[in-house]
Amino acid sequence: MRKTAETQDTGWIPAPREATEVADDLVIPGAGPAPRPGERPTLKLREHGPEDAPRYAPEWLELREGPDGAARAPELLDPLRIRLANLPGKADGLVIHDLGCGTGSMGRWLAPRLDGAQHWILHDRDPYLLHFAAVASPRAAADGSRVSVETRRGDIARLTPDGLSGASLVTASALLDVLTREEIETLVAACTGAGCPALLTLSVAGRVEFTPSDPLDDEIAEAFNAHQRRTELLGPDAITVACEAFSARGATVRVHPSPWKLGPADSALTAQWLRGWVGAAVEQRPELRAPAERYLRERLAACEAGELRVVVHHSDLLALSRPTDGATS
């Protein structure tokens, strides 16, 4: 296994105390709002700036891994398998770049669903998460073929078609909604320029459904969506922007719903998500603090009692770029 010494950034850290009191100050890093205007919720896509502390807690990534896997759209796998089966040089194995890999949950979900030898290149800023992802990566594909990994710390703002030379596939999870339009264009240009498909999962769709409902649901959701769109980030608009960008460059694009469906068995994740969701809404609209405190207390109590169900809507995107001479594995 080899590493490169570039820089990348990953995740959220909790907001300062005054912004998180509504969330009981118990938000696991990764579940809560960003602390400063312009702070990046996932990957650092700019090459300047100081080395920052890690922002995703493994505990948050572990909580969401099961629901993430259950939510991802299996309907996109057959067209992806067909494309991968027809790649030139497939006999040498697939090369898969996982951007913002965290603890490697995307690889653990996808590698056992694809046939053939695979070499995963895991990108993240946090060396601890990279180590965890490498150690916990799957070792066998669906047909028993070998899966190998390498880790890289890198800035995907500088991702180019040359950087993806030899790539069979680019993957990412919960990434698009924390990018700007320019950053999505950079990512799309790299993928389409290299002629490799992209499977980009779990982009927030901006819709949440609660059972039972509460009159404040919609107002909190609107404030959260506005928080997602701060400082030119696209939030729930990202999936549309990415589809348009891929289509403009000749890629065939498919989108499929991938909602979290959280019930009593997911109460730990639901509680953390609620604290972060409400905390971000209050950070965006401080005048909501008083009603939001009541709202959060009641929602957390219902969650603990097993009486709350939540559907958090996401979308998965598969973009099949036109093959190029460089799109070999």
Side-chain angles (χ1 to χ4, degrees), residues 71-73 76 172-177 199-207 235-236 238-240 242-243 254-260 312-318:
R72 291 190 184 98
L76 298 181
S173 190
L175 171 64
L176 290 180
D177 44 82
L199 180 63
L200 308 172
T201 68
L202 296 169
S203 296
V204 297
R207 293 181 293 116
I239 199 75
T240 299
C243 287
R254 296 190 182 200
V255 176
H256 202 279
S258 54
W260 276 354
V312 183
H313 289 275
H314 303 93
S315 297
D316 288 2
L317 181 155
L318 173 65

Side-chain angles (χ1 to χ4, degrees), residues 182-199:
E182 180 181 358
E183 290 160 353
I184 285 181
E185 291 283 356
T186 297
L187 175 60
V188 169
C191 293
T192 56
C196 66
L199 180 63

Side-chain angles (χ1 to χ4, degrees), residues 17-28 31-33 210 212-217 219-221 224 267-283 288-305 308 310:
R17 175 171 294 271
E18 62 271 17
T20 55
E21 286 173 354
V22 70
D24 294 338
D25 218 17
L26 295 173
V27 183
I28 293 175
F210 289 92
S213 63
D214 183 282
L216 204 58
D217 290 343
E219 194 166 6
I220 296 289
F224 176 82
S267 60
L269 173 63
T270 304
Q272 281 296 324
W273 172 81
L274 272 167
R275 291 184 176 105
W277 189 67
V278 175
V282 171
E283 186 177 83
L288 286 176
R289 179 174 302 280
E293 287 176 346
R294 184 275 308 166
Y295 175 90
L296 182 60
R297 282 195 304 271
E298 293 179 0
R299 285 306 197 193
L300 290 174
C303 181
E304 185 175 0
L308 183 67
V310 187

Side-chain angles (χ1 to χ4, degrees), residues 8 16 86 90 133 220 246 305:
Q8 186 171 315
N86 292 323
K90 181 183 180 296
I220 296 289
F246 274 112

Side-chain angles (χ1 to χ4, degrees), residues 10 56-58 60-62 64-66 68-69 72 96-113 118 120-124 126-139 147 149-151 171-173 201:
T10 180
Y56 266 142
W60 168 248
L61 300 176
E62 182 180 7
R64 64 175 294 170
E65 182 165 350
D68 280 355
R72 291 190 184 98
I96 301 173
H97 289 255
D98 185 6
L99 306 180
C101 68
T103 58
S105 64
M106 186 67 173
R108 288 189 291 277
W109 180 82
L110 183 58
R113 289 171 167 80
Q118 302 167 37
W120 283 70
I121 301 173
L122 308 177
H123 300 255
D124 205 288
D126 185 343
Y128 174 73
L129 294 182
L130 281 173
H131 174 75
F132 188 103
V135 169
S137 67
R139 293 297 183 252
V147 175
V149 300
E150 69 175 276
T151 61
T171 71
S173 190
T201 68

Side-chain angles (χ1 to χ4, degrees), residues 215-232:
L216 204 58
D217 290 343
D218 290 344
E219 194 166 6
I220 296 289
E222 290 172 4
F224 176 82
N225 289 340
H227 187 275
Q228 289 286 96
R229 293 183 175 107
R230 69 203 180 285
T231 61
E232 300 184 352

